[in-house]
């Protein structure tokens, strides 16, 4: 089962992969055309070093999730056979996309083999859906415990930072927060555990929401209940 640590490593590997594919592309082509073998060799060395970081991140991310992805991360670090590692990683990403019904992940896994830069970008955006489905759902409980929780006043938003107040009758945690009707979710919640009384919560969202005034925040509590917050 994928967890936050696995997903973070895979996302970091994808971002670094975007950088490495850029180094292999435009700069190497330019230096090759201009006949600058020294600069070409330097960029190739940098590319190989970056690939080691990419492989390590994918190895850590797929460890315990997908064996092919784990092996692909190892092979990706080896010069001249990294294409084999890329193919194994593509299969692992396609499986992940099928599991979470992500078109971007499945399409990105195919494109990755032929156009790594574009493939990594599609995979990165596809991972956002995996994050939303995995960590933005309230925990399932057969008998949720009722805790009096309600909003105090109206919340405020500044960019992707939202501030609002909640009153709670009994201490309870916040599992996650999602902007209603969007794929925008919380990346940081301070505090994530509410004490009895009025609490001021500051939330960092994954993106700047559009027309936030016409939407609500869905605040998922650790006891399985959901609170709607007006901004």
């Amino acid at each position: 089962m994928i967890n936050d640590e696995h997903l973070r490593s895979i996302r970091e590997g994808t971002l670094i992969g975007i950088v490495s594919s850029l180094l292999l592309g435009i700069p190497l082509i330019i230096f090759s055309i201009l006949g600058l073998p020294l600069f070409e060799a330097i960029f190739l060395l940098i590319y190989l070093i970056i690939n080691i970081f990419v492989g390590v991140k994918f190895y850590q991310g797929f460890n315990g999730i997908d064996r092919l992805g784990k092996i692909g991360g190892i092979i990706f670090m080896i010069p001249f056979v990294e294409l084999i590692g890329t193919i194994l990683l593509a299969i692992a990403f396609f499986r992940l996309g099928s599991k979470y019904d992500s078109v971007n992940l499945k399409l990105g896994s195919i494109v990755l083999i032929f156009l790594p830069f574009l493939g990594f970008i599609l995979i990165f955006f596809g991972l956002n859906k995996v994050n939303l489905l995995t960590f933005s759902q309230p925990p399932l409980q057969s008998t949720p415990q009722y805790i009096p929780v309600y909003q105090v006043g109206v919340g405020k938003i500044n960019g992707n930072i939202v501030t609002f107040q909640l009153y709670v009758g009994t201490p309870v945690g916040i599992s996650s927060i999602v902007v209603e009707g969007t794929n925008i979710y919380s990346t940081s919640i301070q505090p994530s555990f509410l004490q009895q009384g009025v609490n001021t919560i500051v939330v960092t969202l994954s993106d700047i929401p559009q027309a936030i005034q016409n939407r609500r925040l869905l605040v998922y509590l650790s006891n399985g209940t959901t609170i709607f917050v007006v901004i």
Side-chain angles (χ1 to χ4, degrees):
M1 182 67 180
I2 193 169
N3 58 35
D4 185 48
E5 185 177 350
H6 289 145
L7 187 57
R8 185 184 301 112
S9 293
I10 294 175
R11 286 168 63 90
E12 289 174 355
T14 303
L15 284 174
I16 302 174
I18 294 174
V19 175
S20 69
S21 57
L22 276 176
L23 287 177
L24 183 63
I26 298 176
L28 286 181
I29 294 175
I30 293 176
F31 292 140
S32 178
I33 294 176
L34 296 178
L36 300 172
L38 178 59
F39 288 97
E40 187 176 354
I42 292 174
F43 266 83
L44 183 59
L45 178 60
I46 295 174
Y47 166 76
L48 294 176
I49 293 175
I50 293 178
N51 266 13
I52 294 177
F53 288 98
V54 176
V56 169
K57 289 297 181 181
F58 285 147
Y59 172 84
Q60 294 172 341
F62 283 109
N63 187 23
I65 299 176
D66 192 300
R67 186 176 181 182
L68 284 182
K70 177 181 175 181
I71 297 174
I74 297 174
I75 299 178
F76 192 83
M77 294 184 281
I78 305 175
F80 309 113
V81 294
E82 64 186 73
L83 178 60
I84 299 176
T86 302
I87 294 174
L88 295 179
L89 287 170
I91 296 174
F93 280 121
F94 189 88
R95 289 176 176 176
L96 196 62
S98 298
K99 180 178 180 180
Y100 290 95
D101 192 26
S102 171
V103 176
N104 280 337
L105 267 179
K106 290 188 283 189
L107 179 60
S109 65
I110 298 173
V111 176
L112 179 65
I113 301 175
F114 307 99
L115 295 171
F117 175 70
L118 180 58
F120 277 129
I121 291 178
L122 290 171
I123 288 171
F124 178 78
F125 285 106
L127 290 172
N128 287 334
K129 183 172 184 179
V130 177
N131 185 88
L132 181 65
L133 294 177
T134 306
F135 306 110
S136 298
Q137 299 297 327
L140 298 177
Q141 295 184 1
S142 55
T143 55
Q145 179 186 2
Y146 174 72
I147 298 177
V149 181
Y150 57 83
Q151 183 179 6
V152 178
V154 178
K156 298 180 180 179
I157 182 168
N158 183 14
N160 67 329
I161 306 297
V162 178
T163 305
F164 58 90
Q165 291 185 320
L166 291 179
Y167 170 84
V168 297
T170 305
V172 66
I174 298 178
S175 301
S176 60
I177 298 176
V178 178
V179 179
E180 184 181 23
T182 73
N183 289 332
I184 301 174
Y185 53 89
S186 58
T187 59
S188 173
I189 304 172
Q190 298 295 333
S192 59
F193 190 82
L194 308 180
Q195 301 294 337
Q196 182 176 5
V198 178
N199 297 259
T200 300
I201 299 97
V202 179
V203 181
T204 303
L205 300 174
S206 60
D207 197 359
I208 300 177
Q210 301 297 322
I212 185 66
Q213 292 79 5
N214 299 323
R215 302 184 186 275
R216 298 179 296 180
L217 297 182
L218 279 66
V219 180
Y220 296 115
L221 302 180
S222 59
N223 69 331
T225 60
T226 304
I227 302 299
F228 293 96
V229 170
V230 179
I231 302 299

